[in-house]
Amino acid sequence: MGTIRRVMRSVCIAHNDNFAYAGSETGEVLMFAIDRDDPKPFNEPESLRPALKGYNRDRFGKGVKSVACVVNPSTGNTNVIAGAGDGTVQILNPKLQRIESHKAQLSGAVSSITLSPSGKSFLAGTELSQRYSIDIATFTEELRSTGHFGEIYDVKFPKNCSELFVTASTEDIRIWNTAKKQELLRIRVPNLTCRAIEVTPSGTSVLSGWSDGKIRAFYPESGKAKFIVPDAHSDEVTALATCNDDDLGNEWRMVSGGKDGRVRVWKVTNSHRSMIHSMKEHRGSVSSVVCNQGGTQVVSASTDGSCIVWDLQRGVRIHALFEPTVFHGVLYHPDESQYLTCGANAKLGYWDAFDGNAIRMIDGGDSEMTCLDIRPNDGCLFVSGSADKLVKVWHYDDGITIGCGRGHSGRVNSVAISPNQRHVVSVGSEGGVFIWSLDGVDP
């Protein structure tokens, strides 16, 4: 290759340790002889040194991200499996020539390849968080598992349904099976980010708030669009909630919060969507909106250090909660006598729902508290997520931790307790979805 330099992104060594194969950013697979002399005195020159022996002339698109060596059982020769940035997986013969009959096209850049112990198949992982199993003899691919490839912002369970949950992330919404831990449906909206989701009480619609300021509703069975509210907010839609109306009737309501600080109430019918109220008192982004059971009030939390309780009938403020912090979450206690908040000051706040006064503040941890969910039937325990990557279960009345989950490698963005109260699902900035068991965790 002369004086041309290459940046290597992957390497593998043949089973006999004679050769090493490296994948480059420019799409070549390079073969190096790595034989060395036995140890000699320092003044005797080496006769064997690592040297470049060859490379493929037909380059792969977007570079070679991963390589693996496999032995052909019929000839005993070493072939190379190359995974490229354009999603191509292909076998090269000992002369580094492509074998066209052994080629597959995967979704996303192939970032890793590992052989099975039998050597008859291999697993390939892509940068879009998809894992494939490929049979070497037939070179047919099978999708084994999927995951989000970007940050996950929200997670919700449908009402009275613990078998499914919904997650919101970059470019898509996904519906998952809780028991099998498998993706059931993917709803893609390219080049946009879903910041908030909600499932209507009947489970017939998945509501979503997007970075382009629109609210989109989808059918959960097919993923097809049901309706769109254009220009719901001038900036990102950051929070969504339903008003616990019968959405199978002629009309029902939903509430949205935006990065512009506005809280808006919408009337939804089969034929159109219209705004009932637009309330602007927050000076920062709205991070959470939650309605009470009767659908008469909604409480909104904002990064400006305030939580405001609104009258949904008149569209006016009832009272406000103030704290020198950035509020990330707020919710009602099931008996609606108190509000529970979390924020950047690493505190969990209990507030009186009658007058909005603070009852007590407890330490949530060493880092900012980012999300909350409470057990819906009695409220005796609640779950929190935080920027220190921990998921904690709390006793509501005692204010003490009764369980702690470690597993996330990034900030925990949202948590949800299943309706049957047996599981907690948490999602984080690293794109991870974690399902935690609440068995044995009793207040």
Side-chain angles (χ1 to χ4, degrees), residues 2-324:
T3 59
I4 299 177
R5 301 183 64 183
R6 293 291 184 265
V7 178
M8 307 303 174
R9 289 300 181 193
S10 55
V11 66
C12 66
I13 298 176
H15 69 287
N16 56 11
D17 292 337
N18 290 332
F19 295 97
Y21 300 87
S24 73
E25 280 190 346
T26 46
E28 299 105 350
V29 176
L30 299 93
M31 180 172 65
F32 297 90
I34 57 175
D35 280 343
R36 299 297 296 265
D37 291 328
D38 292 331
K40 294 182 177 182
F42 73 93
N43 57 350
E44 290 187 18
E46 292 182 328
S47 59
L48 292 176
R49 292 183 179 180
L52 176 66
K53 292 298 183 181
Y55 60 94
N56 62 311
R57 303 289 179 175
D58 188 8
R59 296 180 179 179
F60 290 93
K62 298 183 180 180
V64 177
K65 303 281 188 178
S66 54
V67 289
C69 295
V70 59
V71 177
N72 187 331
S74 59
T75 63
N77 294 330
T78 299
N79 295 334
V80 182
I81 305 172
D86 62 359
T88 301
V89 180
Q90 193 167 8
I91 291 185
L92 287 74
N93 63 21
K95 295 182 179 180
L96 299 182
Q97 297 171 339
R98 295 199 196 188
I99 302 176
E100 292 300 326
S101 61
H102 287 64
K103 179 180 179 181
Q105 190 67 38
L106 309 183
S107 177
V110 182
S111 56
S112 60
I113 294 173
T114 182
L115 289 171
S116 66
S118 65
K120 296 181 179 180
S121 64
F122 65 92
L123 294 176
T126 72
E127 291 184 355
L128 295 184
S129 297
Q130 303 197 146
R131 187 176 64 185
Y132 296 84
S133 176
I134 300 178
D135 182 84
I136 294 178
T138 61
F139 230 73
T140 54
E141 70 273 14
E142 177 188 354
L143 182 62
R144 286 292 183 87
S145 63
T146 61
H148 285 286
F149 60 88
E151 183 171 357
I152 308 176
Y153 296 94
D154 203 1
V155 59
K156 289 290 192 303
F157 278 95
K159 186 177 181 181
N160 299 324
C161 177
S162 301
E163 291 76 25
L164 306 173
F165 63 90
V166 188
T167 55
S169 182
T170 305
E171 297 190 356
D172 60 30
I173 299 168
R174 303 192 190 190
I175 300 177
W176 304 81
N177 183 293
T178 308
K180 295 182 178 179
K181 305 173 183 64
Q182 291 180 346
E183 176 187 333
L184 301 178
L185 179 68
R186 184 182 307 185
I187 305 170
R188 294 195 69 247
V189 182
N191 304 319
L192 295 175
T193 299
C194 183
R195 301 302 301 268
I197 52 171
E198 186 61 84
V199 183
T200 56
S202 66
T204 56
S205 302
V206 177
L207 307 176
S208 56
W210 294 82
S211 56
D212 61 351
K214 295 180 181 179
I215 298 173
R216 293 175 170 87
F218 300 94
Y219 291 101
E221 299 90 349
S222 63
K224 294 182 178 179
K226 187 174 184 179
F227 65 80
I228 298 176
V229 181
D231 301 321
H233 290 269
S234 60
D235 209 323
E236 297 180 354
V237 180
T238 55
L240 277 176
T242 60
C243 297
N244 297 310
D245 300 331
D246 180 12
D247 59 294
L248 296 178
N250 293 328
E251 64 178 53
W252 50 279
R253 296 167 299 161
M254 63 179 178
V255 181
S256 64
K259 194 174 180 179
D260 55 9
R262 288 178 169 83
V263 177
R264 289 179 169 172
V265 185
W266 305 87
K267 181 174 72 173
V268 181
T269 68
N270 294 330
S271 59
H272 69 281
R273 275 62 56 189
S274 60
M275 185 170 62
I276 304 173
H277 302 296
S278 180
M279 301 166 286
K280 178 68 170 81
E281 290 195 30
H282 289 299
R283 296 184 178 181
S285 175
V286 178
S287 52
S288 177
V289 291
V290 180
C291 290
N292 66 349
Q293 285 297 319
T296 59
Q297 297 179 4
V298 62
V299 56
S300 59
S302 173
T303 58
D304 64 358
S306 68
C307 293
I308 300 178
V309 183
W310 308 90
D311 187 311
L312 286 176
Q313 302 297 326
R314 298 179 296 154
V316 297
R317 182 179 73 179
I318 299 175
H319 50 244
L321 325 175
F322 296 102
E323 184 73 11

